Amino acid sequence: MEGLRSIWLFIQDQVLGMKWLNQLIGNGLSWIGLDVSGRIGGSIQFFIYDVTKIVVLLCALIFMISYIQSYFPPERSRKILGRFHGIGANAAAALLGTVTPFCSCSSIPLFIGFTSAGLPLGVTFSFLISSPMVDLGSLVLLMSIFGTKIAIAYVVIGLVIAIVSGTLIEKFHMEKYVEDFIRQAQSVDIDSPELTRKDRIQFAKEQVVETFKKVFPYILVGVGIGAVIHNWIPEHWIEQILGSRNPFGVIFATLAGVPMYADIFGTIPVAEALLSKGAQLGTILAFMMAVTTLSVPSIIMLKKAVKPKLLAVFIGICTVGITIVGYLFNVFHGLFI
């Protein structure tokens, strides 16, 4: 058992976490005369290391996930979801969201398509919440930075929020609050052509390029913010605002995430820096979930598809769910850190 643990720690630290790369970059910066223990040198090391690591992992993960996704085009996904009923359908939709696009604005068109095709509203909302919040790529990247327990916990609670929120929306029977052009749309049942292995590889490559172009600016911004927090903001400031001494830290973190727009890959460097400065785990998870689920751009896009009352219910349920999860993880902070 100890041998397996050692192997896994090596994979987590050196393969996924690329600790060797951090050391290599630090040595290189020291060789050219930068003090990596100082603010400027440390910020440069943090920035180069995190950007390189995230980009390498991102491209590899997008390729693998997109290859898997090629087996689940929208029409096939709709048919799969149509076979489930009740909370099982919400769970299936949330799980499907883990192998679909990487930000909420990419998921909303699929949400509209699924709703137009006649899938239950709560099921489509479970998909919409899960898709940007939780994906296979985030699981691997979270493991590389925070460790296995935190990564799995984040994915599990993300799926729970997606399933519970979708189930509640279904119970409220709010179908009439979907915009008319979506409810009246006609579903066209077209069988997708069978893709060859070469086609799937080409699709995966195209997704890598497209997604990289879309998220790279947010990675740069996220890592930049993380570098500033990590090397320039005093630790006691973070502890006062987001630490255990502030009972409103979770609420502040949730509200702070709303104006931002980034996918999970852009929020992880910020979360990494906050955790190193003393912010509580639940507060950080609440911030990440708010950014990926409740960002203003995605809410604006969703507003075109649903009426204000349904939009308000969606925002309210997600906000309450994220806040509760944040406080719960703060209570059990010691089990994960």
Side-chain angles (χ1 to χ4, degrees), residues 246-284:
N246 187 354
F248 301 105
V250 171
I251 296 174
F252 289 157
T254 303
L255 294 176
V258 173
M260 299 179 65
Y261 174 60
D263 59 14
I264 185 69
F265 297 101
T267 62
I268 285 176
V270 180
E272 177 186 12
L274 289 173
L275 187 64
S276 70
K277 287 289 185 176
Q280 288 195 291
L281 177 60
T283 305
I284 294 171

PDB file of all heavy atoms in Angstrom, residues 246-284:
ATOM      1  N   ASN A 246     -13.341  35.857   9.630  1.00  0.00           N
ATOM      2  CA  ASN A 246     -14.428  36.615   8.998  1.00  0.00           C
ATOM      3  C   ASN A 246     -15.588  35.675   8.673  1.00  0.00           C
ATOM      4  O   ASN A 246     -15.493  34.867   7.742  1.00  0.00           O
ATOM      5  CB  ASN A 246     -13.928  37.290   7.720  1.00  0.00           C
ATOM      6  CG  ASN A 246     -14.978  38.220   7.124  1.00  0.00           C
ATOM      7  OD1 ASN A 246     -16.113  38.283   7.589  1.00  0.00           O
ATOM      8  ND2 ASN A 246     -14.611  38.940   6.090  1.00  0.00           N
ATOM      9  N   PRO A 247     -16.690  35.747   9.403  1.00  0.00           N
ATOM     10  CA  PRO A 247     -17.811  34.839   9.150  1.00  0.00           C
ATOM     11  C   PRO A 247     -18.505  35.092   7.816  1.00  0.00           C
ATOM     12  O   PRO A 247     -19.290  34.263   7.354  1.00  0.00           O
ATOM     13  CB  PRO A 247     -18.759  35.117  10.323  1.00  0.00           C
ATOM     14  CG  PRO A 247     -18.431  36.517  10.755  1.00  0.00           C
ATOM     15  CD  PRO A 247     -16.963  36.670  10.518  1.00  0.00           C
ATOM     16  N   PHE A 248     -18.212  36.236   7.197  1.00  0.00           N
ATOM     17  CA  PHE A 248     -18.848  36.565   5.916  1.00  0.00           C
ATOM     18  C   PHE A 248     -17.920  36.316   4.729  1.00  0.00           C
ATOM     19  O   PHE A 248     -18.198  36.738   3.614  1.00  0.00           O
ATOM     20  CB  PHE A 248     -19.294  38.034   5.915  1.00  0.00           C
ATOM     21  CG  PHE A 248     -20.255  38.377   7.015  1.00  0.00           C
ATOM     22  CD1 PHE A 248     -19.830  39.097   8.119  1.00  0.00           C
ATOM     23  CD2 PHE A 248     -21.580  37.956   6.951  1.00  0.00           C
ATOM     24  CE1 PHE A 248     -20.707  39.407   9.145  1.00  0.00           C
ATOM     25  CE2 PHE A 248     -22.470  38.266   7.975  1.00  0.00           C
ATOM     26  CZ  PHE A 248     -22.038  38.993   9.073  1.00  0.00           C
ATOM     27  N   GLY A 249     -16.810  35.619   4.979  1.00  0.00           N
ATOM     28  CA  GLY A 249     -15.833  35.380   3.922  1.00  0.00           C
ATOM     29  C   GLY A 249     -16.415  34.648   2.724  1.00  0.00           C
ATOM     30  O   GLY A 249     -16.132  34.986   1.570  1.00  0.00           O
ATOM     31  N   VAL A 250     -17.248  33.635   2.968  1.00  0.00           N
ATOM     32  CA  VAL A 250     -17.856  32.863   1.877  1.00  0.00           C
ATOM     33  C   VAL A 250     -18.753  33.760   1.024  1.00  0.00           C
ATOM     34  O   VAL A 250     -18.732  33.689  -0.214  1.00  0.00           O
ATOM     35  CB  VAL A 250     -18.654  31.666   2.431  1.00  0.00           C
ATOM     36  CG1 VAL A 250     -19.460  30.995   1.320  1.00  0.00           C
ATOM     37  CG2 VAL A 250     -17.718  30.655   3.070  1.00  0.00           C
ATOM     38  N   ILE A 251     -19.541  34.596   1.696  1.00  0.00           N
ATOM     39  CA  ILE A 251     -20.446  35.496   0.963  1.00  0.00           C
ATOM     40  C   ILE A 251     -19.646  36.488   0.125  1.00  0.00           C
ATOM     41  O   ILE A 251     -19.963  36.733  -1.044  1.00  0.00           O
ATOM     42  CB  ILE A 251     -21.365  36.238   1.949  1.00  0.00           C
ATOM     43  CG1 ILE A 251     -22.264  35.227   2.677  1.00  0.00           C
ATOM     44  CG2 ILE A 251     -22.209  37.288   1.221  1.00  0.00           C
ATOM     45  CD1 ILE A 251     -23.104  35.824   3.781  1.00  0.00           C
ATOM     46  N   PHE A 252     -18.570  37.053   0.699  1.00  0.00           N
ATOM     47  CA  PHE A 252     -17.727  37.985  -0.044  1.00  0.00           C
ATOM     48  C   PHE A 252     -17.117  37.300  -1.267  1.00  0.00           C
ATOM     49  O   PHE A 252     -17.066  37.878  -2.359  1.00  0.00           O
ATOM     50  CB  PHE A 252     -16.605  38.528   0.852  1.00  0.00           C
ATOM     51  CG  PHE A 252     -17.074  39.482   1.907  1.00  0.00           C
ATOM     52  CD1 PHE A 252     -16.328  39.705   3.060  1.00  0.00           C
ATOM     53  CD2 PHE A 252     -18.268  40.172   1.766  1.00  0.00           C
ATOM     54  CE1 PHE A 252     -16.759  40.585   4.035  1.00  0.00           C
ATOM     55  CE2 PHE A 252     -18.722  41.058   2.739  1.00  0.00           C
ATOM     56  CZ  PHE A 252     -17.964  41.261   3.866  1.00  0.00           C
ATOM     57  N   ALA A 253     -16.632  36.072  -1.075  1.00  0.00           N
ATOM     58  CA  ALA A 253     -15.981  35.352  -2.172  1.00  0.00           C
ATOM     59  C   ALA A 253     -16.979  35.037  -3.280  1.00  0.00           C
ATOM     60  O   ALA A 253     -16.658  35.149  -4.473  1.00  0.00           O
ATOM     61  CB  ALA A 253     -15.354  34.061  -1.654  1.00  0.00           C
ATOM     62  N   THR A 254     -18.195  34.650  -2.909  1.00  0.00           N
ATOM     63  CA  THR A 254     -19.228  34.354  -3.904  1.00  0.00           C
ATOM     64  C   THR A 254     -19.586  35.594  -4.702  1.00  0.00           C
ATOM     65  O   THR A 254     -19.666  35.561  -5.937  1.00  0.00           O
ATOM     66  CB  THR A 254     -20.484  33.785  -3.220  1.00  0.00           C
ATOM     67  OG1 THR A 254     -20.125  32.611  -2.465  1.00  0.00           O
ATOM     68  CG2 THR A 254     -21.536  33.406  -4.251  1.00  0.00           C
ATOM     69  N   LEU A 255     -19.786  36.714  -4.006  1.00  0.00           N
ATOM     70  CA  LEU A 255     -20.133  37.965  -4.687  1.00  0.00           C
ATOM     71  C   LEU A 255     -18.973  38.465  -5.548  1.00  0.00           C
ATOM     72  O   LEU A 255     -19.189  39.013  -6.628  1.00  0.00           O
ATOM     73  CB  LEU A 255     -20.512  39.030  -3.662  1.00  0.00           C
ATOM     74  CG  LEU A 255     -21.802  38.756  -2.864  1.00  0.00           C
ATOM     75  CD1 LEU A 255     -22.022  39.834  -1.823  1.00  0.00           C
ATOM     76  CD2 LEU A 255     -23.005  38.661  -3.800  1.00  0.00           C
ATOM     77  N   ALA A 256     -17.740  38.251  -5.093  1.00  0.00           N
ATOM     78  CA  ALA A 256     -16.573  38.695  -5.856  1.00  0.00           C
ATOM     79  C   ALA A 256     -16.422  37.914  -7.151  1.00  0.00           C
ATOM     80  O   ALA A 256     -15.908  38.434  -8.149  1.00  0.00           O
ATOM     81  CB  ALA A 256     -15.306  38.540  -5.013  1.00  0.00           C
ATOM     82  N   GLY A 257     -16.899  36.668  -7.155  1.00  0.00           N
ATOM     83  CA  GLY A 257     -16.768  35.852  -8.356  1.00  0.00           C
ATOM     84  C   GLY A 257     -17.751  36.201  -9.451  1.00  0.00           C
ATOM     85  O   GLY A 257     -17.495  35.940 -10.632  1.00  0.00           O
ATOM     86  N   VAL A 258     -18.879  36.819  -9.087  1.00  0.00           N
ATOM     87  CA  VAL A 258     -19.937  37.086 -10.074  1.00  0.00           C
ATOM     88  C   VAL A 258     -19.499  38.020 -11.201  1.00  0.00           C
ATOM     89  O   VAL A 258     -19.760  37.736 -12.377  1.00  0.00           O
ATOM     90  CB  VAL A 258     -21.202  37.626  -9.370  1.00  0.00           C
ATOM     91  CG1 VAL A 258     -22.238  38.076 -10.388  1.00  0.00           C
ATOM     92  CG2 VAL A 258     -21.796  36.538  -8.463  1.00  0.00           C
ATOM     93  N   PRO A 259     -18.822  39.152 -10.918  1.00  0.00           N
ATOM     94  CA  PRO A 259     -18.465  40.052 -12.025  1.00  0.00           C
ATOM     95  C   PRO A 259     -17.392  39.493 -12.952  1.00  0.00           C
ATOM     96  O   PRO A 259     -17.194  39.994 -14.050  1.00  0.00           O
ATOM     97  CB  PRO A 259     -17.938  41.307 -11.302  1.00  0.00           C
ATOM     98  CG  PRO A 259     -18.360  41.173  -9.895  1.00  0.00           C
ATOM     99  CD  PRO A 259     -18.454  39.720  -9.629  1.00  0.00           C
ATOM    100  N   MET A 260     -16.674  38.467 -12.479  1.00  0.00           N
ATOM    101  CA  MET A 260     -15.575  37.929 -13.275  1.00  0.00           C
ATOM    102  C   MET A 260     -16.101  36.985 -14.347  1.00  0.00           C
ATOM    103  O   MET A 260     -17.195  36.434 -14.236  1.00  0.00           O
ATOM    104  CB  MET A 260     -14.582  37.197 -12.377  1.00  0.00           C
ATOM    105  CG  MET A 260     -13.940  38.068 -11.318  1.00  0.00           C
ATOM    106  SD  MET A 260     -12.794  37.158 -10.281  1.00  0.00           S
ATOM    107  CE  MET A 260     -11.522  36.697 -11.473  1.00  0.00           C
ATOM    108  N   TYR A 261     -15.296  36.810 -15.397  1.00  0.00           N
ATOM    109  CA  TYR A 261     -15.647  35.803 -16.402  1.00  0.00           C
ATOM    110  C   TYR A 261     -14.405  34.998 -16.718  1.00  0.00           C
ATOM    111  O   TYR A 261     -13.412  35.523 -17.227  1.00  0.00           O
ATOM    112  CB  TYR A 261     -16.188  36.431 -17.683  1.00  0.00           C
ATOM    113  CG  TYR A 261     -16.399  35.387 -18.768  1.00  0.00           C
ATOM    114  CD1 TYR A 261     -17.273  34.333 -18.558  1.00  0.00           C
ATOM    115  CD2 TYR A 261     -15.699  35.436 -19.963  1.00  0.00           C
ATOM    116  CE1 TYR A 261     -17.470  33.360 -19.511  1.00  0.00           C
ATOM    117  CE2 TYR A 261     -15.889  34.465 -20.929  1.00  0.00           C
ATOM    118  CZ  TYR A 261     -16.770  33.435 -20.704  1.00  0.00           C
ATOM    119  OH  TYR A 261     -16.946  32.459 -21.650  1.00  0.00           O
ATOM    120  N   ALA A 262     -14.429  33.749 -16.372  1.00  0.00           N
ATOM    121  CA  ALA A 262     -13.308  32.858 -16.665  1.00  0.00           C
ATOM    122  C   ALA A 262     -13.835  31.437 -16.566  1.00  0.00           C
ATOM    123  O   ALA A 262     -14.902  31.191 -16.010  1.00  0.00           O
ATOM    124  CB  ALA A 262     -12.169  33.064 -15.679  1.00  0.00           C
ATOM    125  N   ASP A 263     -13.082  30.503 -17.118  1.00  0.00           N
ATOM    126  CA  ASP A 263     -13.444  29.108 -16.916  1.00  0.00           C
ATOM    127  C   ASP A 263     -12.653  28.592 -15.713  1.00  0.00           C
ATOM    128  O   ASP A 263     -11.925  29.330 -15.062  1.00  0.00           O
ATOM    129  CB  ASP A 263     -13.183  28.278 -18.173  1.00  0.00           C
ATOM    130  CG  ASP A 263     -11.727  28.323 -18.595  1.00  0.00           C
ATOM    131  OD1 ASP A 263     -10.892  28.759 -17.781  1.00  0.00           O
ATOM    132  OD2 ASP A 263     -11.436  27.927 -19.731  1.00  0.00           O
ATOM    133  N   ILE A 264     -12.787  27.311 -15.446  1.00  0.00           N
ATOM    134  CA  ILE A 264     -12.144  26.735 -14.273  1.00  0.00           C
ATOM    135  C   ILE A 264     -10.632  26.880 -14.334  1.00  0.00           C
ATOM    136  O   ILE A 264      -9.958  27.075 -13.329  1.00  0.00           O
ATOM    137  CB  ILE A 264     -12.555  25.241 -14.124  1.00  0.00           C
ATOM    138  CG1 ILE A 264     -11.997  24.635 -12.838  1.00  0.00           C
ATOM    139  CG2 ILE A 264     -12.116  24.439 -15.322  1.00  0.00           C
ATOM    140  CD1 ILE A 264     -12.612  25.179 -11.607  1.00  0.00           C
ATOM    141  N   PHE A 265     -10.073  26.841 -15.560  1.00  0.00           N
ATOM    142  CA  PHE A 265      -8.625  26.920 -15.698  1.00  0.00           C
ATOM    143  C   PHE A 265      -8.094  28.307 -15.356  1.00  0.00           C
ATOM    144  O   PHE A 265      -6.939  28.453 -14.962  1.00  0.00           O
ATOM    145  CB  PHE A 265      -8.216  26.531 -17.121  1.00  0.00           C
ATOM    146  CG  PHE A 265      -8.559  25.113 -17.461  1.00  0.00           C
ATOM    147  CD1 PHE A 265      -9.680  24.819 -18.221  1.00  0.00           C
ATOM    148  CD2 PHE A 265      -7.790  24.070 -16.999  1.00  0.00           C
ATOM    149  CE1 PHE A 265     -10.010  23.505 -18.518  1.00  0.00           C
ATOM    150  CE2 PHE A 265      -8.103  22.756 -17.287  1.00  0.00           C
ATOM    151  CZ  PHE A 265      -9.229  22.472 -18.053  1.00  0.00           C
ATOM    152  N   GLY A 266      -8.909  29.334 -15.531  1.00  0.00           N
ATOM    153  CA  GLY A 266      -8.488  30.679 -15.175  1.00  0.00           C
ATOM    154  C   GLY A 266      -8.606  30.977 -13.698  1.00  0.00           C
ATOM    155  O   GLY A 266      -7.911  31.860 -13.173  1.00  0.00           O
ATOM    156  N   THR A 267      -9.493  30.256 -13.001  1.00  0.00           N
ATOM    157  CA  THR A 267      -9.699  30.519 -11.569  1.00  0.00           C
ATOM    158  C   THR A 267      -8.731  29.743 -10.682  1.00  0.00           C
ATOM    159  O   THR A 267      -8.455  30.165  -9.557  1.00  0.00           O
ATOM    160  CB  THR A 267     -11.136  30.148 -11.148  1.00  0.00           C
ATOM    161  OG1 THR A 267     -11.347  28.738 -11.355  1.00  0.00           O
ATOM    162  CG2 THR A 267     -12.163  30.934 -11.952  1.00  0.00           C
ATOM    163  N   ILE A 268      -8.213  28.633 -11.160  1.00  0.00           N
ATOM    164  CA  ILE A 268      -7.361  27.780 -10.321  1.00  0.00           C
ATOM    165  C   ILE A 268      -6.105  28.502  -9.834  1.00  0.00           C
ATOM    166  O   ILE A 268      -5.746  28.384  -8.654  1.00  0.00           O
ATOM    167  CB  ILE A 268      -7.021  26.464 -11.054  1.00  0.00           C
ATOM    168  CG1 ILE A 268      -8.260  25.546 -11.047  1.00  0.00           C
ATOM    169  CG2 ILE A 268      -5.849  25.745 -10.401  1.00  0.00           C
ATOM    170  CD1 ILE A 268      -8.086  24.256 -11.816  1.00  0.00           C
ATOM    171  N   PRO A 269      -5.369  29.260 -10.685  1.00  0.00           N
ATOM    172  CA  PRO A 269      -4.187  29.959 -10.161  1.00  0.00           C
ATOM    173  C   PRO A 269      -4.528  30.954  -9.060  1.00  0.00           C
ATOM    174  O   PRO A 269      -3.763  31.110  -8.102  1.00  0.00           O
ATOM    175  CB  PRO A 269      -3.623  30.678 -11.397  1.00  0.00           C
ATOM    176  CG  PRO A 269      -4.184  29.952 -12.566  1.00  0.00           C
ATOM    177  CD  PRO A 269      -5.521  29.466 -12.127  1.00  0.00           C
ATOM    178  N   VAL A 270      -5.670  31.632  -9.184  1.00  0.00           N
ATOM    179  CA  VAL A 270      -6.098  32.567  -8.137  1.00  0.00           C
ATOM    180  C   VAL A 270      -6.395  31.795  -6.856  1.00  0.00           C
ATOM    181  O   VAL A 270      -5.980  32.195  -5.756  1.00  0.00           O
ATOM    182  CB  VAL A 270      -7.348  33.353  -8.588  1.00  0.00           C
ATOM    183  CG1 VAL A 270      -7.779  34.328  -7.504  1.00  0.00           C
ATOM    184  CG2 VAL A 270      -7.072  34.092  -9.894  1.00  0.00           C
ATOM    185  N   ALA A 271      -7.100  30.680  -6.987  1.00  0.00           N
ATOM    186  CA  ALA A 271      -7.437  29.866  -5.820  1.00  0.00           C
ATOM    187  C   ALA A 271      -6.181  29.316  -5.151  1.00  0.00           C
ATOM    188  O   ALA A 271      -6.084  29.274  -3.920  1.00  0.00           O
ATOM    189  CB  ALA A 271      -8.357  28.717  -6.243  1.00  0.00           C
ATOM    190  N   GLU A 272      -5.212  28.906  -5.965  1.00  0.00           N
ATOM    191  CA  GLU A 272      -3.947  28.390  -5.430  1.00  0.00           C
ATOM    192  C   GLU A 272      -3.252  29.440  -4.575  1.00  0.00           C
ATOM    193  O   GLU A 272      -2.773  29.153  -3.464  1.00  0.00           O
ATOM    194  CB  GLU A 272      -3.053  27.967  -6.586  1.00  0.00           C
ATOM    195  CG  GLU A 272      -1.678  27.473  -6.168  1.00  0.00           C
ATOM    196  CD  GLU A 272      -0.776  27.204  -7.355  1.00  0.00           C
ATOM    197  OE1 GLU A 272      -1.117  27.613  -8.482  1.00  0.00           O
ATOM    198  OE2 GLU A 272       0.286  26.600  -7.134  1.00  0.00           O
ATOM    199  N   ALA A 273      -3.205  30.667  -5.073  1.00  0.00           N
ATOM    200  CA  ALA A 273      -2.543  31.740  -4.346  1.00  0.00           C
ATOM    201  C   ALA A 273      -3.305  32.092  -3.073  1.00  0.00           C
ATOM    202  O   ALA A 273      -2.699  32.335  -2.017  1.00  0.00           O
ATOM    203  CB  ALA A 273      -2.402  32.972  -5.234  1.00  0.00           C
ATOM    204  N   LEU A 274      -4.632  32.128  -3.143  1.00  0.00           N
ATOM    205  CA  LEU A 274      -5.446  32.441  -1.958  1.00  0.00           C
ATOM    206  C   LEU A 274      -5.252  31.398  -0.868  1.00  0.00           C
ATOM    207  O   LEU A 274      -5.144  31.732   0.318  1.00  0.00           O
ATOM    208  CB  LEU A 274      -6.929  32.532  -2.344  1.00  0.00           C
ATOM    209  CG  LEU A 274      -7.349  33.741  -3.182  1.00  0.00           C
ATOM    210  CD1 LEU A 274      -8.799  33.594  -3.623  1.00  0.00           C
ATOM    211  CD2 LEU A 274      -7.163  35.042  -2.399  1.00  0.00           C
ATOM    212  N   LEU A 275      -5.209  30.119  -1.261  1.00  0.00           N
ATOM    213  CA  LEU A 275      -5.034  29.049  -0.281  1.00  0.00           C
ATOM    214  C   LEU A 275      -3.680  29.165   0.415  1.00  0.00           C
ATOM    215  O   LEU A 275      -3.573  28.974   1.626  1.00  0.00           O
ATOM    216  CB  LEU A 275      -5.158  27.684  -0.967  1.00  0.00           C
ATOM    217  CG  LEU A 275      -5.167  26.460  -0.041  1.00  0.00           C
ATOM    218  CD1 LEU A 275      -6.387  26.488   0.871  1.00  0.00           C
ATOM    219  CD2 LEU A 275      -5.148  25.170  -0.856  1.00  0.00           C
ATOM    220  N   SER A 276      -2.630  29.510  -0.351  1.00  0.00           N
ATOM    221  CA  SER A 276      -1.291  29.636   0.231  1.00  0.00           C
ATOM    222  C   SER A 276      -1.204  30.821   1.186  1.00  0.00           C
ATOM    223  O   SER A 276      -0.315  30.867   2.040  1.00  0.00           O
ATOM    224  CB  SER A 276      -0.246  29.790  -0.881  1.00  0.00           C
ATOM    225  OG  SER A 276      -0.347  31.056  -1.517  1.00  0.00           O
ATOM    226  N   LYS A 277      -2.120  31.789   1.060  1.00  0.00           N
ATOM    227  CA  LYS A 277      -2.106  32.978   1.899  1.00  0.00           C
ATOM    228  C   LYS A 277      -3.030  32.874   3.111  1.00  0.00           C
ATOM    229  O   LYS A 277      -3.156  33.822   3.880  1.00  0.00           O
ATOM    230  CB  LYS A 277      -2.508  34.208   1.075  1.00  0.00           C
ATOM    231  CG  LYS A 277      -1.435  34.668   0.109  1.00  0.00           C
ATOM    232  CD  LYS A 277      -0.252  35.294   0.851  1.00  0.00           C
ATOM    233  CE  LYS A 277       0.764  35.857  -0.099  1.00  0.00           C
ATOM    234  NZ  LYS A 277       1.857  36.551   0.600  1.00  0.00           N
ATOM    235  N   GLY A 278      -3.696  31.738   3.274  1.00  0.00           N
ATOM    236  CA  GLY A 278      -4.500  31.548   4.472  1.00  0.00           C
ATOM    237  C   GLY A 278      -5.995  31.602   4.296  1.00  0.00           C
ATOM    238  O   GLY A 278      -6.741  31.533   5.276  1.00  0.00           O
ATOM    239  N   ALA A 279      -6.489  31.743   3.056  1.00  0.00           N
ATOM    240  CA  ALA A 279      -7.936  31.706   2.838  1.00  0.00           C
ATOM    241  C   ALA A 279      -8.451  30.297   3.123  1.00  0.00           C
ATOM    242  O   ALA A 279      -7.757  29.311   2.887  1.00  0.00           O
ATOM    243  CB  ALA A 279      -8.262  32.114   1.407  1.00  0.00           C
ATOM    244  N   GLN A 280      -9.677  30.199   3.607  1.00  0.00           N
ATOM    245  CA  GLN A 280     -10.231  28.887   3.932  1.00  0.00           C
ATOM    246  C   GLN A 280     -10.688  28.163   2.664  1.00  0.00           C
ATOM    247  O   GLN A 280     -11.095  28.789   1.669  1.00  0.00           O
ATOM    248  CB  GLN A 280     -11.404  29.036   4.898  1.00  0.00           C
ATOM    249  CG  GLN A 280     -10.972  29.428   6.307  1.00  0.00           C
ATOM    250  CD  GLN A 280     -12.080  29.210   7.315  1.00  0.00           C
ATOM    251  OE1 GLN A 280     -13.080  29.917   7.292  1.00  0.00           O
ATOM    252  NE2 GLN A 280     -11.916  28.235   8.180  1.00  0.00           N
ATOM    253  N   LEU A 281     -10.642  26.827   2.734  1.00  0.00           N
ATOM    254  CA  LEU A 281     -10.941  26.011   1.562  1.00  0.00           C
ATOM    255  C   LEU A 281     -12.352  26.259   1.033  1.00  0.00           C
ATOM    256  O   LEU A 281     -12.551  26.441  -0.173  1.00  0.00           O
ATOM    257  CB  LEU A 281     -10.768  24.527   1.905  1.00  0.00           C
ATOM    258  CG  LEU A 281     -11.122  23.540   0.792  1.00  0.00           C
ATOM    259  CD1 LEU A 281     -10.253  23.773  -0.433  1.00  0.00           C
ATOM    260  CD2 LEU A 281     -10.982  22.101   1.293  1.00  0.00           C
ATOM    261  N   GLY A 282     -13.348  26.265   1.915  1.00  0.00           N
ATOM    262  CA  GLY A 282     -14.728  26.461   1.468  1.00  0.00           C
ATOM    263  C   GLY A 282     -14.928  27.809   0.815  1.00  0.00           C
ATOM    264  O   GLY A 282     -15.672  27.933  -0.171  1.00  0.00           O
ATOM    265  N   THR A 283     -14.260  28.823   1.334  1.00  0.00           N
ATOM    266  CA  THR A 283     -14.351  30.162   0.751  1.00  0.00           C
ATOM    267  C   THR A 283     -13.789  30.163  -0.666  1.00  0.00           C
ATOM    268  O   THR A 283     -14.361  30.765  -1.583  1.00  0.00           O
ATOM    269  CB  THR A 283     -13.586  31.171   1.628  1.00  0.00           C
ATOM    270  OG1 THR A 283     -14.091  31.101   2.968  1.00  0.00           O
ATOM    271  CG2 THR A 283     -13.733  32.579   1.097  1.00  0.00           C
ATOM    272  N   ILE A 284     -12.674  29.479  -0.855  1.00  0.00           N
ATOM    273  CA  ILE A 284     -12.040  29.399  -2.180  1.00  0.00           C
ATOM    274  C   ILE A 284     -12.927  28.632  -3.156  1.00  0.00           C
ATOM    275  O   ILE A 284     -13.103  29.039  -4.314  1.00  0.00           O
ATOM    276  CB  ILE A 284     -10.657  28.731  -2.062  1.00  0.00           C
ATOM    277  CG1 ILE A 284      -9.717  29.631  -1.258  1.00  0.00           C
ATOM    278  CG2 ILE A 284     -10.077  28.432  -3.437  1.00  0.00           C
ATOM    279  CD1 ILE A 284      -8.412  28.978  -0.896  1.00  0.00           C
TER     280      ILE A 284
END
